Amino acid sequence: QQQVKQSPQSLIVQKGGISIINCAYENTAFDYFPWYQQFPGKGPALLIAIRPDVSEKKEGRFTISFNKSAKQFSLHIMDSQPGDSATYFCAAARGSTLGRLYFGRGTQLTVWP
Amino acid sequence: NAGVTQTPKFRILKIGQSMTLQCTQDMNHNYMYWYRQDPGMGLKLIYYSVGAGITDKGEVPNGYNVSRSTTEDFPLRLELAAPSQTSVYFCASSPTRTSGGRSTDTQYFGPGTRLTVL
């Protein structure tokens, strides 16, 4: 059973465009929602994270939007660049599970010039 | 700091062979994790540890074993390798603190081990 559902599986965006990746969850006990970025041949690395007590968090060109009532959150990449081409994973965790993360299946983003 | 290191980077095993994937972190993190990553399937937790001497199963523990004798090391053992264990394996660590019962910390991943079982 997939605890966090992520879409789309792949995304192609033109340079300068907006990339949007969506995730949904069922467990209302989740209290931490990170996004990880993974380049080919590397391990995932934390990109940005949000808690359910805020609806949006922005860091540079990356923004997480969070909708608690819909149990959905999304990653927006503004002014997408070829260097953003990577696989993006959303994840969720709850405080009682000692840091254990539940990952979505990933979105392969390609930004072409 | 080297962060999280994993060895080997690549390995080919024959069915039925055994091997140990090594993971070491130098950040003095209490929490360590092993994941496997299969194409289009995201990362699945195999085992995790909250400190030396303490380990617990994740989502997909069958066919694997772990031990945690020190804070730094968290090896993953494959016994009787099967083709279904062909995957990329990632080790991660975190200092995980809970603030008021809430998860707070980042997981730091190693570069991975690509394992093929033939």
Side-chain angles (χ1 to χ4, degrees), chain A residues 36 38 46 51 89 95 98-99, chain B residues 31 37 101-103 106-107:
Chain A
Y36 280 77
Q38 183 182 30
L46 180 69
R51 298 200 167 283
F89 294 97
L98 305 173
Chain B
Y31 289 48
Q37 183 178 26
R102 305 198 302 176
S103 299
T106 302
Q107 289 189 16

Side-chain angles (χ1 to χ4, degrees), chain A residues 2 9 31-32 36 38 41-44 46 51 53 89 93-96 98-106, chain B residues 31 33 35 37 40-45 48 50 57-59 90 96 98 101-107 109-111:
Chain A
Q2 195 77 16
Q9 189 171 356
D31 62 3
Y32 176 65
Y36 280 77
Q38 183 182 30
K42 305 291 186 183
L46 180 69
R51 298 200 167 283
D53 47 359
F89 294 97
R94 60 183 191 267
S96 63
L98 305 173
R100 178 174 171 173
L101 286 173
Y102 296 87
F103 283 89
R105 295 189 175 187
Chain B
Y31 289 48
Y33 312 85
Y35 294 91
Q37 183 178 26
M41 297 302 292
L43 292 103
K44 300 290 187 184
L45 183 66
Y48 65 105
V50 300
K57 296 178 181 178
E59 294 175 77
F90 289 99
T96 303
T98 55
R102 305 198 302 176
S103 299
T104 59
D105 279 318
T106 302
Q107 289 189 16
F109 284 79

Side-chain angles (χ1 to χ4, degrees), chain B residues 84-114:
Chain B
S84 62
Q85 293 178 304
T86 294
S87 188
V88 181
Y89 292 85
F90 289 99
C91 179
S93 72
S94 79
T96 303
R97 299 177 300 272
T98 55
S99 171
R102 305 198 302 176
S103 299
T104 59
D105 279 318
T106 302
Q107 289 189 16
Y108 297 85
F109 284 79
T113 294
R114 184 175 294 275

